[in-house]
Amino acid sequence: MTNINQSKIKKATKVFNSVFNKYDMMNDLMSLGIHRLWKQRLIEWMNPKKDDHLIDMATGTGDIASAFLKRLKNQGSVTCVDPNKLMIDQGKKKLKYLDKIHWNVSNAEKLPFSDNTFDIYSVSFGVRNFSNIKMALKEAHRVLKGGGRFICLEFSKVENEYMNKVYRAYSKTIPLLGKYIVGDAEPYNYLIKTIDEFYDQETFKKVIEESGFGNVEYRNLSVGVVAIHSAWKV
Ligand SMILES: C[S@@+](CC[C@H](N)C(=O)[O-])C[C@H]1O[C@@H](n2cnc3c(N)ncnc32)[C@H](O)[C@@H]1O
């Protein structure tokens, strides 16, 4: 039995193939620039140290890699992984001044790296798109060194009922913005659908624990619109 959901892979490929060249601009517009602060909070909690080797999964255009290297004043290295070559090519172009990045086209569910390779595994707004989240988490655990850290930024569940209504109303405008800017609402309907279908904070914590990680914790940002989960290979 294969655990890879082929239709989800096809859907994710189609979505990111149609938005890759406007991806960064749409992120800024949709989140009113706040995604930059969320990513900064991820790096702050990660608190990397000199010479750490990061694997940034579902890297897209490499925002996490760039923030990580900036934080370490370039004294670290990053392997940026994404199955979508068009997204990776955008990242390569954007970050061509950084020489500590190695780019790799692969899926999170099957990584071409040896066991115990990386100090930190990050994934930002990527887990929702994986065709098999549990398989990807097992791979994350495998490629991390003992004592290594898993850290994930993802859309989550707004815990305050009133704020949730405001957020839901706002979400409905996103596909309209997509239609106007990218010329296609469909990728943004997909975005909203994957956010709705994704785990809440506590359930995702359990899924991470079941994949073999220890000391799993999370922090809500922006009243739970997104959450950062942190875990360790103990
Ligand atoms: C919303 S983007 C996130 C990009 C970037 N990390 C960020 O925070 O801006 C999601 C990325 O997940 C990638 N992706 C989709 N399926 C994947 C999989 N099975 N394994 C790894 N990455 C995947 C897509 O190609 C896309 O680049």
Side-chain angles (χ1 to χ4, degrees):
M1 181 183 107
T2 169
N3 292 312
I4 304 279
N5 178 341
Q6 294 295 343
S7 73
K8 197 164 178 192
I9 292 180
K10 275 196 195 134
K11 185 73 193 172
T13 307
K14 190 166 169 236
V15 163
F16 291 103
N17 277 352
S18 69
V19 302
F20 74 96
N21 56 349
K22 302 240 170 67
Y23 177 78
D24 287 327
M25 183 174 66
M26 273 302 286
N27 265 354
D28 278 332
L29 288 174
M30 286 185 302
S31 73
L32 310 171
I34 295 170
H35 76 106
R36 293 168 185 266
L37 300 178
W38 293 334
K39 288 169 179 167
Q40 202 45 50
R41 293 288 297 278
L42 172 91
I43 296 294
E44 280 161 19
W45 197 13
M46 180 193 288
N47 193 20
K49 53 185 194 319
K50 187 172 169 280
D51 296 332
D52 272 348
H53 188 183
L54 171 73
I55 175 168
D56 183 43
M57 188 53 55
T59 195
T61 62
D63 281 359
I64 299 300
S66 131
F68 169 87
L69 288 172
K70 188 169 176 201
R71 166 96 175 199
L72 287 182
K73 300 192 171 61
N74 218 28
Q75 294 184 307
S77 54
V78 192
T79 298
C80 286
V81 180
D82 199 291
N84 192 309
K85 193 167 173 320
L86 295 174
M87 291 290 279
I88 286 222
D89 286 346
Q90 286 292 115
K92 278 184 182 167
K93 235 190 284 172
K94 183 169 87 175
L95 304 178
K96 58 176 182 273
Y97 61 96
L98 290 173
D99 60 356
K100 297 288 191 69
I101 301 183
H102 170 76
W103 302 88
N104 181 280
V105 179
S106 304
N107 280 291
E109 294 81 355
K110 192 166 176 14
L111 296 174
F113 307 112
S114 311
D115 299 357
N116 310 312
T117 300
F118 301 98
D119 300 291
I120 310 168
Y121 178 116
S122 61
V123 54
S124 148
F125 301 116
V127 172
R128 256 178 22 254
N129 300 291
F130 292 170
S131 61
N132 186 321
I133 293 176
K134 292 181 183 172
M135 213 168 150
L137 288 173
K138 292 231 162 82
E139 273 295 83
H141 191 272
R142 181 184 70 75
V143 300
L144 274 172
K145 292 177 187 167
R149 176 108 177 256
F150 168 86
I151 190 155
C152 170
L153 172 65
E154 189 50 90
F155 287 105
S156 204
K157 302 295 171 215
V158 176
E159 286 170 340
N160 175 295
E161 210 177 305
Y162 173 73
M163 289 309 292
N164 193 30
K165 279 192 184 141
V166 173
Y167 174 58
R168 287 191 161 268
Y170 174 69
S171 299
K172 292 202 177 109
T173 67
I174 300 287
L176 301 176
L177 190 65
K179 176 112 185 115
Y180 184 68
I181 305 286
V182 181
D184 188 1
E186 186 45 32
Y188 299 94
N189 285 322
Y190 173 80
L191 171 76
I192 306 301
K193 182 172 175 284
T194 55
I195 292 173
D196 278 349
E197 288 173 358
F198 192 61
Y199 304 118
D200 63 49
Q201 289 82 333
E202 278 295 322
T203 309
F204 188 40
K205 179 173 184 254
K206 285 200 190 83
V207 172
I208 298 170
E209 282 164 351
E210 283 161 14
S211 305
F213 288 97
N215 301 334
V216 187
E217 295 171 274
Y218 65 85
R219 292 178 181 175
N220 284 334
L221 306 181
S222 306
V223 297
V225 170
V226 302
I228 304 175
H229 283 74
S230 158
W232 297 84
K233 179 168 173 177
V234 285

